Amino acid sequence: MQRASSNNKALIYVNIAVLLFGLVGLFAKSITLSALEMTFWRVLFSSMALAVFMIITEQNFLLRSKKDVLIIISAGVVLALHWWSFLGAIQISTVAIGTITFSSFPLFVTFLEPLVFHGKLKLKNIIIALIILAGVSITVPEFSLENKYSMGILVGMFSTFLYAVMAIFNKFLSQKYSSTLTAFYEQVIAAFVLLPLVFYEWSRQGRLNINEILPDTNNLIFLLMLGIITTALAHTLFISSLKYIPAQLAGVLSSMETVYGIIMAVIFLGEVPSVREVTGAIIIIGTVLYTQLQQVGSRK
């Protein structure tokens, strides 16, 4: 009974997290900074918010072993590259392309999770992952490196692979540490990884004056929302859910970010998706709903 309650809570957490992730595309299009700079401020503000929360709630900051330190450093590096490439994919193309591409996440997790945790690769999960991949491929209008949509999809696929790797790291860490602690260290490390890169960008642009480096008021407001709401809160909820549900299921449910992202882009940005994008999204939605209903039904 307690296990079922924990699973239900984990499903609520992951769905709230994915809804918040769906807001990221709006910020990526609204903030007038490069994807690299945006990612740096995002993880910096997020890690600061998490540090304040952990101090207020008197949480322990200590890690238990050198192995855990190495894993969490690796996860932080992967997180930095993932968010940089994800925001870049959206800026290159559209919110719809970026979020639809992200829905290929279960494809990578389906094969990575059994490999790392020595589990059994299930045919059902392979079929689900391939259906989702088919939904993504439908959105490609014409494959060409000169086509911004094709480039957006390629960058987005790379970003998604990195997120699948990070989910495996988080699956391991969630069994030993709180989601807040894991998210805090990953984002602190991501900030340190991105600092020399963003500093190089500032110096190349001749922006070494503090007033030129700091975001203006409009960008700052959006960056704070991006860092605190869609990163610190959403990332913590997502990691927390991995303690009770498989990374494969969390990955499939993450595909709903596509739906939320497209709907919000239509409402707030006027980015109306093409017929191809709508078709791909419908395939993904159907697969996600089917998987979630099966998960709920299997516990009754």
Side-chain angles (χ1 to χ4, degrees), residues 42 45-46 187 222-233:
R42 176 185 188 179
F45 289 144
S46 174
Q187 287 159 50
F222 285 132
L223 285 168
L224 286 171
M225 294 173 67
L226 179 65
I228 296 172
I229 299 174
T230 69
T231 307
L233 176 58

Side-chain angles (χ1 to χ4, degrees), residues 14-31:
V14 74
N15 278 288
I16 293 174
V18 171
L19 176 60
L20 295 176
F21 287 149
L23 293 169
V24 172
L26 299 182
F27 295 119
K29 288 291 189 179
S30 302
I31 297 172

Side-chain angles (χ1 to χ4, degrees), residues 169-181:
F169 284 133
N170 285 338
K171 180 68 176 177
F172 171 81
L173 293 167
S174 67
Q175 307 304 316
K176 304 179 69 174
Y177 301 102
S178 71
S179 55
T180 310
L181 177 70

